């Protein structure tokens, strides 16, 4: 009996040594959970039970339990190294066989699947093309192939248009009549009487009447400006310019400009220019300036006053005055005389105004050859001229081949001449500097693109009036390369050919919509609050991030990012019931209960730490102490056998 008891003790001590040795051997195994040998005593029982004086029969190994406590976290530089902070197991599958583990040393195979060191695929919840997690468990795959391009089908923008901005003047037109800027002898600029009638959308008319007093000189350009600026929707400015050359004043003569002496005997171009600039500085000739070059003096007046030069001298003195008219008419003053050059007027009108000559039309303001005397104002926006728009902004859009293009939006505040219409703007759109509006089938060049423009209406509280504002559809864009040639990408589908704001997926044309929801008109500076578009170029995987919730987030070289999936974790009602399967993995058993699969951080599941590994739970110092105890237990049981042997030998030796 004693031998059997001692042998059971030896077997128990040996099992304890094996468990401790296994723990020590895996002290550096990632995700390893240390085990503990648990023992029970042995008693022989009959059907009627054992007596109170029964002696036990030794010990047996009752169980080897693994301690599923949290191991220490060690950080690495590999984003695919994963650890679980808290409860749960990684789920892995190979050939239909599912196993569970805490070792998070994962890598990508040649197909982009996340696999363990044993080649088993990590399981998780996959995502659709839009990055939405669909809750379907499957192999997690990170696409390392080239990401195909996606063309722009929608542009979104939120802007604030400054309510304090003034409407942009349109229809700018400089006077170019047959008498404008002509150098004439005497005190008359030669301007005749004219009338221009301005008509607003509501039919209201205002006349600009340019008089010529009987027996007097023509009205100066500066006076015409004052008359024009008094008309609603009209702004005007004027300049006058003349050139003095062949300056010969050997005698004691004087040369005056509008009553101010600018030269005397032996005056030169340099001395005359210096005198004019000095008088301008003292206020005697306000708004005047002069530049000397090559023996000539160019004199300019920014107000449009007539430039009247008077030479008082003797024979032999002379000055030539040249105007700015197309023929560059010149008058030479010899000895004594006067020459007058009139100024040039520039009229600028709001887009909602039209102007028509009622009297004259070929003296100060020439007849418009394009429209028989009618000053056209419907197409004055010029993206190259910042004075024709209030604000501008740009962003990049993409064609179906993934080539990038620059879309520019220009915002123009319109006048309120249309009765009952206020707080209106017009947005012009160009791509790569090209017009993208649908062709005007009634025009002579019916196939040419027109300026794409859309009216924006705002409410009294500054919000965008979506009901009145135009729907913004770009439906005539042919993508071009840097040389101006078509790229071969999808072309436009005009509205007359069925193009609409309902862009199909996949798209069949280059059309896209612009959504300005959230745009405001407040009394503050122009601001781009938000701008985005849904296109992108070709891209390759640039990096992967894995968050605490297990979301796998990929970044690409084209600036795009995408959710690829979510790591799944498993939990069990009885973790001790799991069967060790080697490779630091376990398999489900009847005792463990079925696996409960969920997202990290949900229910009782822990969270994921990327770039980190969970260390073994083996405590070497503790295991070494246990090793000593197991050794002592083994020796003690061996001593029991030795003692029992001695007793048995004594009994045998009795004669």
């Amino acid at each position: 009996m004693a031998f059997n008891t001692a042998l059971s003790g030896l077997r128990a001590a040996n099992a304890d040594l094996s468990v401790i040795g296994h723990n020590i051997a895996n002290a550096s195994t990632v995700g390893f959970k240390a085990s503990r040998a648990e023992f029970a005593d042995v008693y022989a029982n009959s059907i009627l039970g054992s007596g109170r004086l029964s002696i036990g029969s030794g010990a047996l190994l009752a169980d080897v339990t693994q301690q599923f406590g949290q191991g220490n976290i060690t950080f690495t530089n590999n984003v695919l190294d994963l650890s679980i902070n808290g409860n749960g197991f990684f789920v892995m599958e190979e050939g239909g066989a599912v196993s569970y583990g805490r070792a998070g040393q994962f890598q990508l195979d040649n197909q982009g699947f996340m696999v363990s060191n044993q080649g088993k695929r990590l399981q998780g919840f996959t995502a659709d093309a839009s990055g939405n997690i669909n809750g379907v468990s499957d192999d997690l795959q990170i696409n390392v192939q080239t990401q195909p391009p996606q063309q722009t089908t929608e542009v979104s923008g939120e802007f604030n248009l400054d309510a304090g901005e003034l409407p942009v003047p349109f229809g700018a037109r400089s006077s170019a009549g047959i008498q404008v800027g002509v150098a004439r002898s005497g005190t008359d600029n030669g301007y005749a009487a004219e009338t221009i009638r301005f008509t607003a959308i509501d039919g209201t008319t205002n006349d600009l009447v340019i008089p010529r007093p009987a027996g007097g000189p023509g009205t100066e350009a500066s006076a015409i400006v004052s008359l024009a600026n008094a008309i609603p929707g009209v702004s005007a400015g004027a300049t006058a310019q003349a050139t003095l050359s062949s300056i010969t004043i050997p005698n004691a003569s004087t040369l005056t400009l509008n009553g101010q002496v600018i030269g005397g005997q032996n005056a030169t171009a340099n001395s005359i220019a210096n005198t004019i600039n000095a008088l301008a500085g003292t206020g005697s000739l306000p708004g005047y300036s002069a530049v000397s070059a090559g023996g000539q003096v160019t004199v300019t007046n920014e107000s449009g006053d007539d430039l009247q030069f008077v030479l008082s001298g003797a024979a032999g003195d002379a000055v030539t005055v040249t105007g700015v008219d197309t023929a560059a008419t010149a008058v030479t003053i010899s000895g004594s005389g006067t020459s007058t050059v009139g100024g040039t007027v520039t009229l600028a009108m709001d887009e909602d105004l039209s102007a028509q000559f009622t009297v004259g039309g070929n003296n100060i303001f020439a007849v418009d050859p394009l429209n028989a005397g009618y000053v056209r104002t419907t197409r004055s926006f010029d993206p190259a001229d910042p004075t024709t728009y209030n604000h501008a902004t740009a962003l990049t859009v993409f064609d179906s081949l993934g080539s990038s293009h620059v879309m520019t939006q220009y915002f123009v505040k319109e006048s309120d001449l249309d009765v009952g219409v206020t707080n209106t703007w017009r947005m012009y759109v160009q791509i790569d500097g090209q017009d993208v509006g649908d062709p005007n089938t009634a025009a002579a060049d019916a196939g040419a693109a027109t300026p794409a423009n859309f009216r924006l209406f705002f409410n009294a509280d500054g919000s965008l009036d979506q009901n009145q504002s135009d729907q913004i559809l770009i439906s005539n864009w042919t993508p071009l390369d840097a040389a101006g040639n078509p790229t071969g990408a999808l072309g436009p589908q005009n509205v007359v050919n069925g193009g609409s704001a309902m862009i199909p997926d996949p798209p069949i044309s280059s059309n896209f919509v612009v959504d300005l929801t959230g745009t405001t008109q407040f009394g503050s500076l122009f601001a781009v609050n938000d701008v985005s578009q849904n296109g992108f170029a070709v891209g390759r995987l640039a990096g992967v991030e894995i968050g605490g919730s297990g979301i796998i987030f990929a970044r690409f070289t084209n600036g795009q990012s995408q959710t690829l999936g979510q790591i799944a974790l498993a939990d069990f009602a009885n973790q001790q019931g799991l069967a060790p399967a080697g490779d630091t993995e376990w398999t489900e058993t009847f005792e463990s209960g079925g696996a409960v699969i969920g997202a990290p951080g949900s229910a009782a599941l822990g969270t994921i730490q990327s770039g980190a590994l969970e260390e073994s739970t083996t405590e070497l110092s503790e295991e070494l102490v246990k090793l000593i105890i197991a050794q002592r237990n083994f020796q003690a049981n061996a001593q029991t056998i030795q003692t029992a042997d001695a007793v048995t030998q004594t009994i045998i030796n009795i004669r």
Side-chain angles (χ1 to χ4, degrees):
M1 184 67 175
F3 282 105
N4 290 334
T5 302
L7 283 173
S8 70
L10 285 176
R11 286 193 294 268
N14 187 63
D16 196 13
L17 284 171
S18 297
V19 172
I20 295 170
H22 183 67
N23 290 343
I24 293 174
N26 287 281
S28 297
T29 301
V30 171
F32 176 78
K33 299 302 178 183
S35 301
R36 180 179 68 189
E38 298 178 351
F39 303 97
D41 57 355
V42 179
Y43 279 85
N45 293 318
S46 67
I47 190 172
L48 298 177
S50 60
R52 289 180 298 168
L53 300 178
S54 62
I55 300 173
S57 301
L60 58 81
L61 180 65
D63 199 2
V64 177
T65 61
Q66 290 192 296
Q67 309 303 304
F68 288 99
Q70 178 72 50
N72 294 328
I73 301 298
T74 299
F75 292 94
T76 69
N77 292 322
N78 184 0
V79 71
L80 295 182
D81 285 341
L82 306 176
S83 64
I84 302 174
N85 187 11
N87 193 32
F89 298 84
F90 295 114
V91 184
M92 290 158 287
E93 186 270 339
E94 182 181 34
V98 180
S99 58
Y100 309 90
R102 300 271 298 191
Q105 296 167 306
F106 296 104
Q107 54 194 313
L108 299 182
D109 64 11
N110 58 0
Q111 299 178 63
F113 289 101
M114 293 183 65
V115 297
S116 66
N117 289 333
Q118 292 72 39
K120 298 180 180 179
R121 292 180 178 179
L122 180 65
Q123 301 298 292
F125 306 113
T126 57
D128 60 21
S130 299
N132 301 310
I133 304 297
N134 54 27
V136 177
S137 181
D138 201 352
D139 303 335
L140 287 177
Q141 184 179 27
I142 297 177
N143 186 8
V144 297
Q145 303 301 317
T146 298
Q147 184 186 46
Q150 177 174 298
Q151 79 170 68
T152 299
T153 57
E154 181 177 358
V155 173
S156 298
E158 291 185 22
F159 308 96
N160 180 65
L161 307 180
D162 189 356
E165 287 280 346
L166 296 176
V168 172
F170 277 78
R173 183 175 180 80
S174 296
S175 55
I178 59 177
Q179 297 295 335
V180 172
V182 176
R184 299 171 60 88
S185 297
T187 60
D188 186 4
N189 59 20
Y191 294 167
E194 293 188 27
T195 300
I196 302 177
R197 174 160 292 176
F198 297 93
T199 305
I201 289 178
D202 62 358
T204 304
T205 61
N206 288 281
D207 290 343
L208 170 59
V209 179
I210 303 172
R212 179 178 175 85
T219 303
E220 293 187 72
S222 56
I224 297 174
V225 167
S226 298
L227 296 172
N229 285 332
I231 297 175
V234 177
S235 60
T239 58
Q241 191 174 86
T243 300
L244 304 182
S245 60
S246 301
I247 303 169
T248 306
I249 310 178
N251 302 304
S253 301
T254 57
L255 177 65
T256 64
L257 168 60
N258 293 1
Q260 299 294 321
V261 177
I262 59 173
Q265 187 176 13
N266 297 324
T268 64
N270 285 335
S271 67
I272 292 173
N274 292 335
T275 301
I276 292 173
N277 291 327
L279 291 172
T282 62
S284 298
L285 289 175
Y288 289 76
S289 62
V291 176
S292 173
Q296 298 181 342
V297 182
T298 300
V299 182
T300 304
N301 174 257
E302 297 297 340
S303 299
D305 292 336
D306 288 349
L307 300 178
Q308 195 170 95
F309 300 94
V310 178
L311 179 62
S312 301
D317 295 337
V319 174
T320 299
V321 180
T322 305
V324 294
D325 58 315
T326 303
T329 307
V331 172
T332 299
I333 308 172
S334 299
S336 295
T338 301
S339 178
T340 301
V341 179
T344 301
V345 178
T346 300
L347 292 178
M349 293 152 286
D350 288 340
E351 189 173 14
D352 293 335
L353 277 183
S354 62
Q356 190 171 22
F357 300 106
T358 59
V359 176
N362 60 358
N363 194 306
I364 303 176
F365 289 92
V367 175
D368 191 329
L370 297 178
N371 207 357
Y374 185 81
V375 179
R376 304 201 314 167
T377 62
T378 56
R379 181 62 186 105
S380 297
F381 165 74
D382 183 1
D385 184 0
T387 63
T388 63
Y389 53 87
N390 299 85
H391 312 299
T393 186
L395 80 158
T396 300
V397 294
F398 296 88
D399 61 27
S400 61
L401 298 179
S403 300
S404 62
H405 305 267
V406 177
M407 184 189 84
T408 308
Q409 296 163 268
Y410 303 90
F411 297 94
V412 179
K413 188 171 185 180
E414 297 188 333
S415 69
D416 299 334
L417 295 177
D418 191 356
V419 174
V421 178
T422 58
N423 298 326
T424 60
W425 291 70
R426 192 177 296 271
M427 183 183 76
Y428 291 85
V429 176
Q430 284 194 331
I431 299 180
D432 294 337
Q434 304 295 318
D435 287 332
V436 291
D438 282 8
N440 181 2
T441 57
D445 51 351
T450 60
N453 65 95
F454 309 90
R455 294 193 77 181
L456 307 177
F457 295 86
F458 291 88
N459 299 311
D461 62 358
S463 61
L464 182 65
D465 188 337
Q466 299 274 18
N467 294 325
Q468 287 198 75
S469 298
D470 293 341
Q471 184 181 62
I472 304 174
L473 171 66
I474 305 303
S475 55
N476 194 30
W477 171 39
T478 300
L480 305 177
D481 60 20
N485 301 314
T487 63
L490 286 175
Q493 183 182 25
N494 298 158
V495 173
V496 295
N497 296 324
S500 72
M502 301 297 294
I503 307 297
D505 186 17
I508 59 175
S509 68
S510 63
N511 294 6
F512 63 88
V513 296
V514 180
D515 182 7
L516 297 184
T517 301
T519 295
T520 56
Q521 183 200 226
F522 294 143
S524 60
L525 295 177
F526 172 72
V528 180
N529 299 323
D530 185 37
V531 63
S532 62
Q533 56 83 39
N534 63 346
F536 49 82
V538 175
R540 294 191 63 85
L541 185 67
V544 175
E545 298 176 1
I546 301 177
S549 62
I551 297 292
I552 303 174
F553 192 73
R555 292 176 287 104
F556 297 88
T557 55
N558 56 9
Q560 298 301 304
S561 56
Q562 184 180 0
T563 298
L564 301 180
Q566 184 177 26
I567 296 170
L569 294 183
D571 194 14
F572 298 87
N574 176 23
Q575 294 182 354
Q576 297 294 336
L578 293 171
D583 297 326
T584 325
E585 297 173 5
W586 294 266
T587 58
E588 177 185 324
T589 67
F590 177 79
E591 287 78 11
S592 68
V596 179
I597 308 296
S602 65
L605 296 173
T607 58
I608 299 295
Q609 176 67 58
S610 176
L613 294 171
E614 183 181 7
E615 296 181 349
S616 169
T617 57
T618 298
E619 288 287 346
L620 276 177
S621 58
E622 181 180 345
E623 297 299 327
L624 291 174
V625 171
K626 289 180 180 180
L627 191 64
I628 295 172
I629 295 173
Q631 180 186 14
R632 185 182 60 191
N633 290 339
F634 191 95
Q635 290 173 337
N637 282 283
Q639 187 64 41
T640 299
I641 293 176
Q642 184 178 3
T643 301
D645 178 63
V647 171
T648 303
Q649 188 64 41
T650 300
I651 294 174
I652 293 173
N653 290 336
I654 295 175
R655 297 290 191 268

